[in-house]
Amino acid sequence: MRTKHFLLGLCIVIGTSLFLILGPAGQQNDSLKNIVTQTHQHLKDFQKNLRDANEKKLEIDQKYLTQLGFIPTHSSLSASASASTSSQTIYSINNQTIKTNFSVVTYTFNGEIASTILHAQNIATKLPNELLIIYDLGLNEQELQKLQAFCNNSKCIVITYDLQQLPSYIFDQQMHAFRPILIHDALMRSRTILFMENNIRIRGNSISKEINELKLKTENNGVGIFGWTTRQATSSRTHPKMFDYFETFADSFLFLPMVSLDFIFFTNTNLVNNKIMLPWIKCMLTPECIHPIGAQSGGCKFNKKPLYRYSGCHGYDVSAFNIVLGLTFGFDETKYSTHDESSSLYYVETLEQATKILENRRKNISDTSEHPFDE
């Protein structure tokens, strides 16, 4: 429709020009000069209007940012930050009170109680001195009571987080648009967090020391983020239309390894709040950004050549996160991640496995196929 209007307007301009050119001979030279100038200006205006109409922007309702604690300001943020940032701050964090120095953070949905309980037991065993925050995103009353029975001490708290005031798709477990929102909330409660999926199990007998070293590395690397890269390029797991919302191009991400959100450290800094969390959350609250038309999570074809080509499956929140990281840190993943194998730190336990383990424990049955925590 916009193209049709452009062509119609162009015809009108040309028709007017011809009429004036064929007018009285004495006026032809002046008219011709004016016509050329006006025609060029009209064409520029039409092109600008078309460009503006097609431009993709992260424009969201300000009420959502306010609800999440982002408030406009022209002053610098409070002193909890350890990284140097730009002198001009766009947003501040409302009521930012750091209550703990470090927390392990996870979340759970209805039906994931077995995995979440084993996660809580794993953290209590491996990191007994650290606080565990579990975000309840829809447990029924029975499941909530069962979880609280395993999480009933000063080192474990359950927070029922209300997402009802946000767009309904935020709940979607395929898009995971809620993850940056939970990470942002946790960073208002702790200076540094280790964000984990509830199916992750930490392994090793002396892991506390290693986790503490990684925490300090995150706080002192001048970035405030530390994670592990995967074998996939960001371009291979990101729908091409998502790049438009960040005013960048997929070609810039062909050789940028994607960082996983399964197990990752964040520190509350000006840089993280404004350069990472804010644009990331803005994308989550822009439906066309988090879920471009044609995007899907399945159907990955990683055998395409070259390997950095779009695989056909989209990473949603992970894709947006890695775009923001790439733009913020000049496409240098070594500033915020490592290529070292993460398998020495943790392993994944499926919900089916967790359910079986809990059932066997209830029946006091020993199963040698269980993953031991000291593995």
Side-chain angles (χ1 to χ4, degrees):
M1 183 62 72
R2 287 190 292 269
T3 303
K4 183 177 179 181
H5 289 162
F6 171 74
L7 294 175
L8 179 61
L10 182 60
C11 290
I12 293 173
V13 170
I14 294 173
T16 304
S17 301
L18 289 174
F19 173 77
L20 293 174
I21 290 173
L22 296 175
Q27 300 176 359
Q28 284 187 8
N29 289 336
D30 292 339
S31 297
L32 184 59
K33 199 175 292 185
N34 292 333
I35 289 164
V36 171
T37 302
Q38 292 176 9
T39 300
H40 285 172
Q41 186 59 48
H42 282 305
L43 287 173
K44 287 181 180 178
D45 291 342
F46 276 119
Q47 289 171 345
K48 182 179 184 300
N49 290 337
L50 281 175
R51 187 166 58 250
D52 291 344
N54 291 319
E55 205 171 69
K56 297 177 174 64
K57 297 181 180 179
L58 295 176
E59 295 181 347
I60 64 174
D61 194 326
Q62 180 63 40
K63 71 178 182 181
Y64 292 134
L65 290 182
T66 303
Q67 179 184 333
L68 295 173
F70 290 99
I71 55 176
T73 181
H74 296 291
S75 61
S76 60
L77 289 176
S78 60
S80 64
S82 60
S84 60
T85 61
S86 169
S87 59
Q88 182 180 7
T89 301
I90 301 175
Y91 282 88
S92 174
I93 307 301
N94 190 27
N95 297 325
Q96 181 171 283
T97 302
I98 308 302
K99 298 180 180 179
T100 62
N101 185 49
F102 179 65
S103 298
V104 179
V105 178
T106 191
Y107 65 91
T108 183
F109 276 96
N110 182 31
E112 298 178 347
I113 187 65
S115 188
T116 310
I117 287 174
L118 289 186
H119 179 86
Q121 292 178 339
N122 175 241
I123 298 301
T125 302
K126 300 302 180 182
L127 302 173
N129 298 320
E130 309 300 349
L131 173 66
L132 172 63
I133 299 176
I134 303 174
Y135 284 95
D136 161 25
L137 299 183
L139 296 179
N140 59 43
E141 186 175 347
Q142 183 179 5
E143 288 178 326
L144 181 58
Q145 290 178 352
K146 187 179 295 186
L147 177 59
Q148 288 174 333
F150 285 90
C151 185
N152 61 353
N153 57 73
S154 61
K155 293 298 181 180
C156 182
I157 61 173
V158 179
I159 298 174
T160 299
Y161 195 85
D162 185 12
L163 294 172
Q164 296 291 340
Q165 301 303 314
L166 298 171
S168 59
Y169 67 84
I170 296 294
F171 279 101
D172 194 303
Q173 295 184 55
Q174 174 181 278
M175 291 190 282
H176 289 99
F178 53 83
R179 283 199 291 201
I181 294 172
L182 299 183
I183 291 170
H184 166 66
D185 184 82
L187 285 173
M188 291 195 288
R189 303 173 188 273
S190 299
R191 180 168 184 253
T192 301
I193 67 169
L194 168 56
F195 181 79
M196 302 169 61
E197 290 292 300
N198 64 40
N199 62 353
I200 299 296
R201 306 290 179 262
I202 293 178
R203 65 167 89 240
N205 292 321
S206 58
I207 195 67
S208 291
K209 180 180 178 181
E210 189 169 356
I211 292 295
N212 186 60
E213 290 174 351
L214 291 169
K215 167 186 168 291
L216 293 175
K217 184 173 184 177
T218 307
E219 294 173 348
N220 298 322
N221 65 3
V223 173
I225 292 174
F226 187 80
W228 281 259
T229 56
T230 67
R231 297 176 182 272
Q232 301 160 355
T234 299
S235 56
S236 73
R237 286 294 312 277
T238 305
H239 193 283
K241 292 180 182 177
M242 176 177 271
F243 294 103
D244 296 340
Y245 287 91
F246 293 96
E247 300 179 6
T248 189
F249 303 97
D251 289 353
S252 301
F253 296 82
L254 299 181
F255 303 104
L256 183 72
M258 180 169 273
V259 172
S260 169
L261 283 173
D262 287 350
F263 188 93
I264 185 169
F265 291 83
F266 290 85
T267 293
N268 189 326
T269 70
N270 292 353
L271 180 63
V272 169
N273 285 328
N274 290 285
K275 299 298 184 180
I276 305 300
M277 300 310 305
L278 182 58
W280 190 16
I281 287 175
K282 279 186 174 182
C283 180
M284 299 304 99
L285 295 173
T286 304
E288 297 81 5
C289 178
I290 179 65
H291 194 323
I293 296 175
Q296 59 183 19
S297 61
C300 304
K301 297 179 180 178
F302 294 122
N303 58 349
K304 288 185 176 182
K305 300 292 176 121
L307 297 179
Y308 52 69
R309 288 181 56 195
Y310 179 51
S311 64
C313 62
H314 182 52
Y316 298 97
D317 67 323
V318 183
S319 295
F321 178 59
N322 280 272
I323 291 177
V324 173
L325 289 177
L327 293 175
T328 303
F329 301 113
F331 307 100
D332 183 1
E333 76 280 3
T334 63
K335 292 182 178 179
Y336 53 81
S337 64
T338 179
H339 294 286
D340 295 342
E341 289 294 327
S342 58
S343 57
S344 62
L345 284 174
Y346 66 87
Y347 61 91
V348 177
E349 186 174 80
T350 67
L351 180 59
E352 290 73 20
Q353 289 172 326
T355 302
K356 181 179 179 182
I357 291 171
L358 271 189
E359 181 64 17
N360 286 342
R361 288 181 183 177
R362 187 182 68 82
K363 295 178 179 178
N364 198 25
I365 298 175
S366 176
D367 188 344
T368 57
S369 67
E370 289 186 15
H371 293 292
F373 291 154
D374 60 353
E375 185 178 314

